[in-house]
Every structure is written in C-alpha cells, then in structure tokens.
Amino acid sequence: MTSSLPIQHNHYVGPRPYVRGETLYGRDTDLRKLINLLVAERIVLLCAPSGAGKTSLIQAALIPRLEARDFQVLPNIRVNAETPIPGLNRYVASTLQSLEERRPVEEQLSLDELGTLSIDAYLTRRGMDDSVVLIFDQFEEVLTADLADREAKHTYFVQLGEALRNRGRWALFAIREDYLAALQPYARPIPTQLGTVFRLDLLEADAARQAIQRPALAAGVAFADDAATRLIDDLRRVRVQRMEGVIEDQLGPYVEPVQLQVVCLRLWAGLPPEAEAITVADLGVVGDVDSALRQYYADQMQAIAGASGVREGIIRDWCERLISEQGFRTQVAQGARATDGLDNAVIQRLIDAHLLRAEPRRGLTWFELTHDRLVGPIQSDNVAWRDANLSPLQQQARLWERQQRPEGLLLRGEALAQAEGWARANAETLAPAEREYLIACQVAHAAAERERRDARRIRSLLVGVVVALVIALGLAGLAFALYSNSQEQTSLAQTAEAQANVQKQMAEDAQANAETQRQTAVAAQANAESQLANANAQRLAAQAMEVPEYAPQRGLLLALEALRQTSSPISAADQSLRDLLTVIGGLPFRGHEGPIYTLAFSPDGRTLATGSWDGTARLWRVDQPDTAPTVLRGHEESVMTLAFSPDGRTLATGSDDGTVRLWQVDQPEV
C-alpha cells in the first residue's frame, strides 16, 4: 500500500473544465468522431447537456488535434462582451474583441477601427482566409444576452453567414442542447443552416472507467478495477418505481462528468502521501460518494448565496422542493422572471454549478436536478445546515409551511416566548413565511388565553349562581316553615275563641273569607305584573336578536332587567349576570382589517389606543363605542408598542421599522 515515492500532481480537476495542456481521459471516441465531422463538413453545431464537458473537449483535446493537422485555431469566441463599440452590433463587437484580445497590445486595433469592420472584413484584414477555425463556445449566450433584441441577432447571423461563405474558414458552434430549438430561427444565413450536429453525451461506463483510472495511473497510482467499478456504479445509480409501487435502485447508463471529477478529486486529496494504489477499502476510509457530493453541494450553496445576495436557506429550500416525498427528482416549469419563488438569475448559477439542468419540452423550459445521485447528499446536508444555522422558530415555520400550515405545529407557552424574543432580535432576517408563522402562533396563543380566562370566569359565575339558588331555596323553605307554624297557631286560637263565642267565630269566618278574597286579588295582580314583565323581556329579547352582533350582551342585559322586575330579586344572581356580561366582552370596536399587536388605555380610562399589523394606530372613545376611531398613520411596518404619557395627552407608538412617533391625543393630526 506504500511506496518510497510521494503522490504526484493531482490529475483530477474537480468541477472546473479541463484546459489546454491537460489530458482529457474517456473522450477518445468522441474526439475522433467530432474532428472527422468538422474537417469534412466545415461547419458543425456541437450540442450537449449541461455538465457533459463541451469546453473540456474543445480546450484540452480538439484544439491541439486541429493544430496538429495544420489548422489555424483562433481564440475562443464569446458573444457576451460588456464593452460596447459605438455604432457596432453588440454581438459583432463581442466577436471581434474576442479575436483581438490575445494579440499583442501593440498590434491590437482600436475600438474606432473595429467599429468600421464586419466579421468578414476583419478576418480578411488579419489574413484569416485559409485553414482557419473559428470556435464559438457557450454560443447560447447569443440567445440569452437580450431576449428582445431580435433584429440585432438576425444582423449578427447575416454577418456570420457572409464570413463563412469563404471555404477556407471552418467553424464550430458549441451550445447547450436545451437551446437548440431557440437557435433555429436565426440559422438560415449560415451556409449549412447549422444542419450538421454532433451530440456529446454524458459518460458511459467504459468512458467513466478511463476517466477514473487513467489520471491516477499517469501519476503512478493504480486504481483497482473493483474500486473503479464500485465508484462508477455508485455514481450512475438511479431510483426507479416499479409498476407495483416498489421503489428500487438501478444502474443507469450514464455518469455525470462533474460528479465523477468532484468525487475523484476529494478521494485523491485524502490519500496517504506515499500511496501507490487505490482499493475498495480506500473508498470508505478516504471518503465516499455521498460525503464528496454533499461537500460540493455545501460549497456551491455558500458561493451562490454570497454572489447573488439571496439567503442560503431560501436557495437550499428551493433545491429540496425538486425532490418528491418518495425521494425522486421532480421538475418545475420556468417562469418569466422567477421560478417557484426563486429568481431565474440564481437558477442560472445553479445550472452553471452543474447542480441543475434545463430541459425544453412542449414550448416550456423545465428545471430538475442533474442526477438522482444528488438527492441524498442534498437532503442530508440541508438537515445539517438547518440544525447549525436556523433558529427553532425558522425550522418550525418551514415545517409548518411544508405541511400546509396545520394548527398543531404552532408554538405555545415558553417556546413561543423564546421565538418572539429571537424574532425581535433578528427582525431584519425574518422571511415573510416566518413572520406569518409567528403571527399565527401569537393569534392562536391569544385565542387560547381568552378561552382559558373565559372558562375560569364562567366556572366562578356558575358557582355564584348555584350559591345564589341555594340561598333562594333556603329562604323559600324558611318562609314556608314560618308560614306553616303561623297557620297552626292561628287555627288553635280560632278553635278556642269559637268555643267561647259562636257569634264571634262567625264574624271571624266572615272576616277570613274577605281576607281570602283580598289575597286572591293581590295574587292575580302579581300574576298580571309577572306576565307583563315576561312580555317586556320577550319584546326586548326579540329586539336584541335583530342585531346578532350584540345579541349575547343584550340578552344578559334583558336577564338583569327581568330579575329587577321580579318581586324578590336575588343580589348574588344579579351580580353573577353582570360579571358574565363583562366576560362576554362588551360591545366590539371594529376598524382594523388584520391582527392587533398591542393596546393601551389612557390614565383616565376614557381612551383606548390599538396598534395593528398595517402600520396604523387607532384612538377609540370608550364611552362612545359607535363613534369611528381616529386613525394615526405614519409607520411603514406593524405597530408593536403603545404608551400614554402620565397626563394622557401624549401617545407614543413604536413600529417594526425601528421608528417611534409621538402624537397629541387631542390633536392627532399634528
């Protein structure tokens, strides 16, 4: 396992393209086919999926082979130059600048001189008329540079066609295959109309084996066949769902060149200094595919977030939405400026990092992860990153959003208090979804607190009512006992007196009959009064129900009035009903359209101030509930804090935007 010689230079390049002077392995067959096609057909369109290695094939393999055949290969041409030439088509100017920039400074033409030349005229002036090869790398930039500048694009292709009519000039156009359809409307001025196409595919298993073993062998290290096979099978593994619903891993036909280079670069960097062979055991000890791809993904997330200014968590969440619950890659259709909430410029950076690929289909462009092999590393690294970087509030908000906002995931109690504290300290970093989640937690907590307070008060009131009823029953029993005792004594007295004086008995009987008639009349009058009171109560109740909004409060008021109109009101029951009226909440003040974050009473209790999410505060007259509130406007964010001065003449309001304002209560417009 060891040798007396240290490991030589790392021949694996990682995610970057191969450059001239480096040896590209695994593309011998593709190179042979491409160079023969280009020499024979003169104008070739080279297309490939993102990350297949077009630039590596051109720089490290094609250009040296063409020069060996005595072709004059001009510097690679890009059409996205940002330095304009006055009066010259932007794509023509970019082409001429690409051709000029590698010439000695003293030989370069000025911008004014370039502005007078067409592509054909420039090539003729520079003597580029015989066995000259023009290579247009990343040619899709002519389509993406300015989507609305169609006339300038047509003009550019007309000049290209004029230059390529000279049969001493060859041209290779390298483009991502998802732009082939968009290129066709401009191809007619080109002599062959770009009809000769060579497609470069991803690496098949045999080519991948060469790309793995031959760089190591060039450095004096043998990469064992079984280790290379295991690595290849790991990199090309895809997930497939069978008809019966069973999910299984299968070996796909291709390996992503970028992923292969990333894994091999990491593997090589971790070998012992004097290693002379790479075995299956080294794959696990030095670093497996998962850890290599996960580290690459983490590095790209950090780089893209730093370059774009978009929060890293947002980009990570977006990538993970391209993975289904079953662990399969899913697709999302490209939007006009943003796709599924992420700016298309950031998505382009993900494509450039070979984490994402674009696929045109049925007039739309669809985005998906480049390979199933990225699914596990992305998911595991996202979990680790969130544990290390997100607060409990942010993690819970994300889970709440993904599960369609269930109430059961809302924070309560001490967890909510901690989340509120974190949100106050990190208000600038809160995402809209996280803010919505916090508000939902606060609203649910307030509702639960109200329910608990109401339940406690109602239980207390019920106890009071029961006590009052017991007292009433006791008083009724005592009255009945006194009445029975009085009746018994009266009967004895009447019997003794009857025995003494028959005539007096008769008189008393007559008097008792008259008293009975009087009591009957009094009872009838009381019954009539009771019926009248009941009728009034029913009438008032019917009136109250005409305004359902105030029905609970008016119902309690009618109960109090009915109790007052009875002949013997019970004070405890009266007080219980009044307390219950307080619990119900009184007549509501209405005016806010969203959550109320805070409120405060003036020192004299006559004015109520409320603060809302929409940046307004309102002043209410407590003794005039039907009067519209005074609206205080001025904050751009939610009003979170209110405070009256000791004399009640000044109100201070504090907002999420970091401002505090003072208002004169009697002059709110000042």
Side-chain angles (χ1 to χ4, degrees):
M1 179 67 187
T2 61
S3 170
S4 59
L5 297 176
I7 289 182
Q8 299 181 23
H9 173 69
N10 195 337
H11 286 248
Y12 301 103
V13 300
R16 70 166 176 83
Y18 279 82
V19 297
R20 188 165 183 172
E22 294 177 333
T23 303
L24 178 67
Y25 298 101
R27 290 297 192 184
D28 295 346
T29 300
D30 295 313
L31 175 62
R32 184 173 59 256
K33 292 180 178 179
L34 175 59
I35 198 168
N36 290 339
L37 185 65
L38 179 60
V39 170
E41 300 294 335
R42 198 169 66 87
I43 300 173
V44 174
L45 182 64
L46 168 63
C47 68
S50 175
K54 301 184 299 297
T55 301
S56 295
L57 180 63
I58 292 171
Q59 293 295 321
L62 179 64
I63 291 177
R65 189 67 64 86
L66 288 171
E67 290 177 341
R69 294 194 179 193
D70 295 328
F71 281 96
Q72 180 186 1
V73 182
L74 301 183
N76 275 15
I77 298 170
R78 297 285 294 274
V79 295
N80 66 341
E82 298 181 357
T83 303
I85 298 177
L88 193 61
N89 179 288
R90 61 178 296 179
Y91 309 108
V92 174
S94 181
T95 298
L96 299 185
Q97 289 178 36
S98 296
L99 295 173
E100 274 288 289
E101 63 184 6
R102 293 190 181 179
R103 301 183 69 87
V105 175
E106 63 274 10
E107 296 181 9
Q108 292 183 6
L109 300 176
S110 67
L111 294 182
D112 291 338
E113 289 179 291
L114 289 176
T116 65
L117 300 175
S118 66
I119 298 176
D120 180 61
Y122 171 84
L123 294 175
T124 299
R125 178 169 177 173
R126 288 299 190 187
M128 300 174 181
D129 293 327
D130 184 27
S131 299
V132 173
V133 180
L134 291 85
I135 297 179
F136 298 82
D137 197 9
Q138 300 185 39
F139 194 60
E140 64 271 7
E141 290 172 343
V142 74
L143 304 173
T144 61
D146 189 342
L147 298 178
D149 199 7
R150 297 176 60 87
E151 183 176 352
K153 300 181 196 300
H154 279 293
T155 300
Y156 177 60
F157 276 86
V158 169
Q159 286 207 26
L160 282 179
E162 179 184 1
L164 292 177
R165 289 192 185 96
N166 184 331
R167 298 193 64 82
R169 298 168 182 161
W170 276 252
L172 177 71
F173 298 88
I175 189 172
R176 278 188 6 216
E177 65 179 357
D178 44 304
Y179 285 97
L180 280 178
L183 184 66
Q184 294 309 308
Y186 303 101
R188 177 166 297 188
I190 307 298
T192 63
Q193 298 185 17
L194 299 179
T196 304
V197 179
F198 180 84
R199 185 178 187 277
L200 181 68
D201 217 328
L202 303 175
L203 291 173
E204 295 184 351
D206 289 341
R209 183 179 301 277
Q210 296 179 40
I212 291 173
Q213 291 182 314
R214 290 175 63 185
L217 187 60
V221 177
F223 205 119
D225 288 341
D226 56 348
T229 299
R230 175 172 295 187
L231 186 57
I232 292 170
D233 290 346
D234 198 347
L235 285 168
R236 64 177 175 148
R237 190 171 68 245
V238 296
R239 305 196 74 193
V240 178
Q241 186 172 23
R242 294 160 50 182
M243 293 184 61
E244 59 270 24
V246 177
I247 299 174
E248 62 180 22
D249 288 343
Q250 294 184 2
L251 298 181
Y254 299 113
V255 171
E256 293 274 349
V258 173
Q259 294 181 18
L260 182 147
Q261 289 295 325
V262 166
V263 172
C264 288
L265 179 68
R266 181 179 174 87
L267 175 64
W268 187 269
L271 288 175
E274 297 180 349
E276 62 180 10
I278 299 175
T279 66
V280 171
D282 294 319
L283 298 181
V285 174
V286 176
D288 57 14
V289 173
D290 279 331
S291 60
L293 294 179
R294 176 177 167 180
Q295 185 61 52
Y296 176 70
Y297 169 74
D299 293 342
Q300 294 303 316
M301 288 297 100
Q302 185 176 7
I304 293 173
S308 66
V310 178
R311 289 173 52 193
E312 184 172 344
I314 293 176
I315 304 175
R316 285 175 174 271
D317 286 346
W318 191 90
C319 289
E320 196 163 347
R321 287 201 294 273
L322 296 179
I323 303 173
S324 69
E325 293 182 359
Q326 294 77 25
F328 291 101
R329 288 181 294 163
T330 61
Q331 294 183 329
V332 59
Q334 180 180 15
R337 296 178 179 271
T339 301
D340 198 17
L342 187 64
D343 190 276
N344 286 339
V346 181
I347 294 176
Q348 183 59 52
R349 293 181 184 274
L350 292 171
I351 294 174
D352 294 340
H354 310 293
L355 294 172
L356 210 67
R357 70 158 45 100
E359 179 184 350
R361 189 171 70 250
R362 296 181 180 178
L364 295 175
T365 298
W366 297 81
F367 299 124
E368 67 175 351
L369 298 177
T370 54
H371 200 275
D372 283 348
R373 197 60 189 80
L374 288 172
V375 170
I378 287 177
Q379 290 177 322
S380 60
D381 194 66
N382 279 356
V383 170
W385 183 89
R386 293 184 189 112
D387 290 341
N389 294 276
L390 296 186
S391 70
L393 168 63
Q394 292 173 305
Q395 295 190 42
Q396 196 74 356
R398 179 183 174 277
L399 182 62
W400 179 69
E401 188 72 22
R402 286 177 63 92
Q403 296 189 9
Q404 309 299 319
R405 303 188 171 192
E407 185 177 354
L409 291 178
L410 298 178
L411 298 175
R412 292 175 172 81
E414 181 62 24
L416 176 57
Q418 293 177 359
E420 290 173 329
W422 185 91
R424 286 191 295 270
N426 300 271
E428 295 182 357
T429 65
L430 275 181
E434 294 164 357
R435 191 180 299 275
E436 291 177 14
Y437 174 69
L438 181 59
I439 291 174
C441 292
Q442 292 170 332
V443 171
H445 175 73
E449 285 297 311
R450 284 196 302 271
E451 291 178 1
R452 282 194 289 270
R453 288 196 302 269
D454 292 348
R456 287 196 298 267
R457 290 180 181 178
I458 291 174
R459 285 196 297 270
S460 299
L461 293 174
L462 289 176
V463 171
V465 171
V466 170
V467 171
L469 291 176
V470 171
I471 293 173
L473 291 174
L475 292 175
L478 178 60
F480 179 77
L482 292 174
Y483 174 77
S484 299
N485 186 40
S486 175
Q487 287 293 98
E488 182 178 356
Q489 292 178 359
T490 301
S491 177
L492 292 174
Q494 288 176 352
T495 300
E497 190 175 358
Q499 293 176 355
N501 194 337
V502 175
Q503 292 181 353
K504 185 178 181 180
Q505 179 65 49
M506 294 177 60
E508 288 178 354
D509 288 343
Q511 185 178 357
N513 184 42
E515 181 65 20
T516 300
Q517 293 177 359
R518 186 187 67 78
Q519 290 179 355
T520 301
V522 170
Q525 182 178 358
N527 184 45
E529 291 177 352
S530 176
Q531 291 179 354
L532 179 60
N534 290 336
N536 288 335
Q538 292 175 0
R539 176 177 58 79
L540 293 173
Q543 293 176 356
M545 292 306 292
E546 294 176 0
V547 188
E549 186 174 38
Y550 301 144
Q553 292 87 346
R554 293 199 176 184
L556 290 172
L557 291 173
L558 289 172
L560 284 169
E561 179 64 17
L563 186 61
R564 189 186 65 79
Q565 293 184 15
T566 60
S567 58
S568 56
I570 303 173
S571 60
D574 177 87
Q575 185 60 41
S576 297
L577 291 174
R578 292 183 184 278
D579 290 344
L580 185 58
L581 178 63
T582 302
V583 173
I584 289 299
L587 301 180
F589 295 104
R590 301 194 181 278
H592 289 291
E593 297 181 354
I596 298 174
Y597 288 158
T598 182
L599 54 83
F601 280 98
S602 63
D604 59 6
R606 299 177 61 188
T607 303
L608 171 66
T610 58
S612 173
W613 69 279
D614 59 3
T616 64
R618 286 170 168 76
L619 296 175
W620 312 78
R621 296 292 299 176
V622 176
D623 55 350
Q624 299 176 14
D626 296 328
T627 301
T630 300
V631 181
L632 308 179
R633 304 183 186 278
H635 290 291
E636 297 181 357
E637 298 291 342
S638 305
V639 176
M640 304 297 291
T641 304
L642 298 167
F644 281 94
S645 62
D647 59 6
R649 300 177 60 187
T650 304
L651 173 67
T653 60
S655 170
D656 254 358
D657 60 7
T659 61
V660 176
R661 286 174 167 74
L662 297 178
W663 313 82
Q664 294 296 324
V665 175
D666 54 350
Q667 300 179 22
E669 69 279 0
V670 176

